[in-house]
Amino acid sequence: MGLYIDIIKKLAGFRLQVKLSCEQDIIGVLGASGAGKSMLLKCIAGLITPDEGKIILNGRTFFDSAQKINLPPKDRRTGFLFQNYALFPHMTIAENIAFSLSDLSKSAKNKRVAELMERFRLTDLADMEKRYPAQISGGQQQRVALARAMAVEPEILLLDEPFSALDDTLRIHMMKEMLAYLKEFQGCTLYITHNIEEAYRLCNRIAIINNGSLEAFGLKRDLFQTPVSFATAKITGCKNISPAIQKSSHTLEVPDWGGIQVKTKMNIESGKGFVGIRANHIKLADDSTQENCFSVWIADESEAPFRTTLFLKIGSKPCRLDDYHLQWEVSHDQRNAIRQLTQPIRIYMPPGQVFFVQN
């Protein structure tokens, strides 16, 4: 039991082709804008019809082009939370939540709406059920949209960037609430986001969509630790990735990093590919004689509220602010300590954190 997708959808200049199978889980869907993420969710929900293939959930066929099966959206029991929530502005909160409950009697519908409003903490304000979407906050609107999605007791939840309209403070609060809801949900969840941190916090597995195709799918820790492709590394936020040439089974030469040779614990079986290391995995060298230690100059820096990114030039002094090879993320305390050192400083790339991909 679970979700099985094997579909093709062709549009002018674009082709979505995804094959994916998973059990009950929270799955993050990452990819660049226009990669086909939202289209995938709409195909599952029945809002877009694939050209060919199958979509099966818990043994129930939503779509099968060969068998000419295509269930209408109302019969699929999917809960869809749209990016902008898509609440009906002319309907009250209660009417929005009850929108998909047309098969219930009036008393049963009112009972279900009251239960959902209580569950999603929409009873704090007087007469909340009589208010309209424009009269409530962004966080409340999201709760209403989620309550509406859950009203049909869905077997699958489809969440399309649900936090993109919220400010940072509210986003963090709502992420915590959402995680609690998703842990209770007895079904499969597909969660689209551009925010890598959101995906890592909320999801157990990650699906990478690149130009309409499933680039990678697996446990989040595995995909971040050892990306399976160049696109996967970039989409999951790796800032340091460059062409590399195999020198031995565990050694790579990196021409664009000043021609240095780096060691990796991975077994390298291809002559050419890409080497990478995440910006937060670089260390200040304790022992400059160990492997993967290099002298670097700081070309520039960019300070965020809690971290600083240093732009490093390997092997020689930079000529310009954009003359650098690597990005290194450090805490503010680490940055203050580094200021006390004379340049060049020595950095260390742990071989266990250096990865290699063929494409």
Side-chain angles (χ1 to χ4, degrees), residues 196 208 215-216 223-224 226-241 274-278 355 357 359:
I196 298 166
I208 304 293
E215 185 83 15
L223 283 185
F224 276 75
T226 53
V228 298
S229 67
F230 178 87
T232 300
K234 297 294 286 185
I235 291 170
T236 56
C238 183
K239 299 180 176 65
N240 303 314
I241 185 164
F274 295 87
V275 64
I277 184 169
R278 297 191 182 274
F355 62 83
V357 294
N359 62 343

Side-chain angles (χ1 to χ4, degrees), residues 106-212:
K106 184 176 180 180
S107 60
K109 187 184 299 184
N110 291 339
K111 181 181 178 181
R112 180 65 174 152
V113 169
E115 290 172 349
L116 288 163
M117 290 191 67
E118 182 70 30
R119 179 182 176 187
F120 291 98
R121 298 195 300 108
L122 292 166
T123 57
D124 296 344
L125 297 177
D127 298 326
M128 172 66 89
E129 71 279 3
K130 297 178 182 179
R131 299 188 181 206
Y132 291 88
Q135 297 174 321
I136 62 177
S137 69
Q140 290 167 335
Q141 288 180 19
Q142 187 188 72
R143 291 194 192 102
V144 172
L146 188 55
R148 183 180 63 183
M150 297 296 288
V152 295
E153 298 181 332
E155 296 181 52
I156 185 170
L157 271 178
L158 307 173
L159 310 178
D160 193 351
E161 298 196 65
F163 303 116
S164 62
L166 305 179
D167 61 48
D168 289 342
T169 301
L170 186 55
R171 182 185 294 115
I172 293 170
H173 178 71
M174 294 304 297
M175 278 178 60
K176 186 176 180 181
E177 285 193 359
M178 179 70 77
L179 184 57
Y181 298 142
L182 295 182
K183 285 181 177 179
E184 291 178 2
F185 178 60
Q186 299 298 307
C188 186
T189 300
L190 292 186
Y191 177 88
I192 288 179
T193 180
H194 281 97
N195 190 305
I196 298 166
E197 184 177 336
E198 277 182 22
Y200 205 91
R201 283 176 181 266
L202 292 172
C203 305
N204 300 317
R205 296 177 184 272
I206 301 289
I208 304 293
I209 305 294
N210 183 37
N211 292 325

Side-chain angles (χ1 to χ4, degrees), residues 293-356:
C293 282
F294 305 100
S295 296
V296 298
W297 280 257
I298 299 172
D300 197 7
E301 64 182 276
S302 177
E303 186 176 2
F306 307 107
R307 307 281 290 178
T308 296
T309 299
L310 301 179
F311 298 85
L312 308 178
K313 174 76 177 291
I314 302 173
S316 62
K317 194 172 181 178
C319 303
R320 306 173 308 277
L321 295 179
D322 62 351
D323 182 20
Y324 65 89
H325 297 125
L326 300 171
Q327 296 185 42
W328 181 19
E329 291 182 2
V330 297
S331 68
H332 291 332
D333 287 343
Q334 288 175 305
R335 179 61 184 117
N336 290 333
I338 292 169
R339 283 195 180 94
Q340 309 306 313
L341 303 177
T342 302
Q343 296 194 58
I345 58 177
R346 296 280 287 179
I347 61 166
Y348 171 57
M349 300 185 198
Q353 304 289 1
V354 175
F355 62 83
F356 174 78

